[in-house]
Amino acid sequence: MAYVLEAVIATAEVLRGLPGDPVIVRLGQGLSLVPVTRDYAASVADPEAPELAPFLEFPRGFEEVLARCSLAGPIAYVEVELFGGDGPSTAQVWEAGAVGIGSPSSGFPDGCCPDHTPAFAQHR
């Protein structure tokens, strides 16, 4: 069985700054999630923008949108695709209009901080 997640995670207030009509799902502990479905990705993508490595499904040009939203608080894009327990997982966090932490810019192995807490959890 496969597990696939493509989503944006932040507080609901920050996620309300996303364009279009995103579906905001409350996760608890003050965080919410917007699934980046094919339809939503198509509505926010700029086909002329370059791809954002190492992501596989990141909508082209969406990093500018997330950078703007991050002026209101940290916002993360996450991708996970597991099949039989194996597969890639990638995340990046924007904060104050710029990339804060995550793949490939965190400098931490596996996107974790030195105490092995997920990097995003330390920036909430």
Side-chain angles (χ1 to χ4, degrees):
M1 176 182 270
Y3 169 84
V4 177
L5 175 67
E6 294 149 10
V8 179
I9 300 172
T11 64
E13 178 182 338
V14 172
L15 294 175
R16 282 192 280 277
L18 290 170
D21 193 20
V23 174
I24 299 175
V25 179
R26 293 193 182 270
L27 298 175
Q29 297 185 12
L31 293 175
S32 294
L33 173 147
V34 169
V36 180
T37 62
R38 288 178 204 234
D39 288 343
Y40 186 71
S43 77
V44 297
D46 174 0
E48 302 299 316
E51 292 182 356
L52 183 63
F55 297 104
L56 302 175
E57 301 296 330
F58 191 88
R60 292 175 181 242
F62 198 42
E63 65 270 21
E64 293 176 19
V65 172
L66 297 179
R68 277 193 306 274
C69 287
S70 76
L71 294 172
I75 188 167
Y77 176 81
V78 299
E79 278 186 9
V80 180
E81 185 173 342
L82 300 176
F83 185 79
D86 291 323
S89 61
T90 309
Q92 188 160 295
V93 177
W94 286 260
E95 188 170 18
V99 172
I101 53 177
S103 303
S105 62
S106 70
F108 299 123
D110 303 321
C112 290
C113 295
D115 68 355
H116 301 288
T117 328
F120 180 67
Q122 296 194 356
H123 284 269
R124 286 189 324 147

